[in-house]
Structure formats: structure tokens, C-alpha cells
Amino acid sequence: AECGTVLQFVPPSPRVVPVGRLDLESEGLIILTNHGSLVHLVTSPSYHLDKTYVVLVERFGKPGGAPPTLDALQRLGQKGVVLKN
């Protein structure tokens, strides 16, 4: 089954677009705007805008997997995770 988007909850006028996205099982702030230059600035890789994501890790791997070890969480906290565009 296909899910809708956040745009189904806003009126059709004025037309707005989301800046970025949230996955189905995530939560957070999503910016809706009709300012095209802002969308381009925030989403285009050519501007090299750094973004920081905060993630709560409950389990590694598949559902039912082991919880992360303290050592693994400390390594993540020190090094972080770099995502490629």
C-alpha cells in the first residue's frame, strides 16, 4: 500500500513543497515553503550545506537483533556517520 505525503494535509494554495523528507518510521521537523531559492539552497549538494541528524538506535540489524554495545555507541558518538548524497 502506498502512503500519502505531508502535502495531503495542507491546502492546495498557495503551493508549497517540502524541504527534505522524513521516512515512514521517523519523526521530526519538515519545512514547507513556496520559496524556490530556499529549497534549492538546502537540498542541492552543490552548496555543501552540512546537516546533522540525531538517531535513536534500539537494535542493530533485523528486528529482534541485539541492542548496540556501549563500545559501539561510543565509537558512533566520536566518529559519527558520514552519509553520501
Side-chain angles (χ1 to χ4, degrees):
E2 193 170 314
C3 297
T5 71
V6 68
L7 295 178
Q8 72 190 51
F9 300 105
V10 297
S13 182
R15 182 179 177 271
V16 295
V17 295
V19 179
R21 66 179 206 154
L22 292 175
D23 292 325
L24 183 61
E25 293 185 17
S26 64
E27 58 185 58
L29 174 72
I30 188 101
I31 298 171
L32 300 174
T33 184
N34 63 356
H35 195 288
S37 298
L38 175 66
V39 174
H40 185 67
L41 173 72
V42 173
T43 60
S44 175
S46 63
Y47 288 102
H48 306 285
L49 182 65
D50 288 336
K51 299 173 185 82
T52 301
Y53 299 90
V54 178
V55 178
L56 173 64
V57 178
E58 292 181 8
R59 303 271 183 221
F60 279 155
K62 300 176 182 173
T69 64
L70 180 59
D71 183 55
L73 290 174
Q74 287 174 336
R75 283 195 316 270
L76 281 174
Q78 292 169 353
K79 297 180 182 178
V81 177
V82 177
L83 303 175
K84 294 182 180 182
N85 291 333

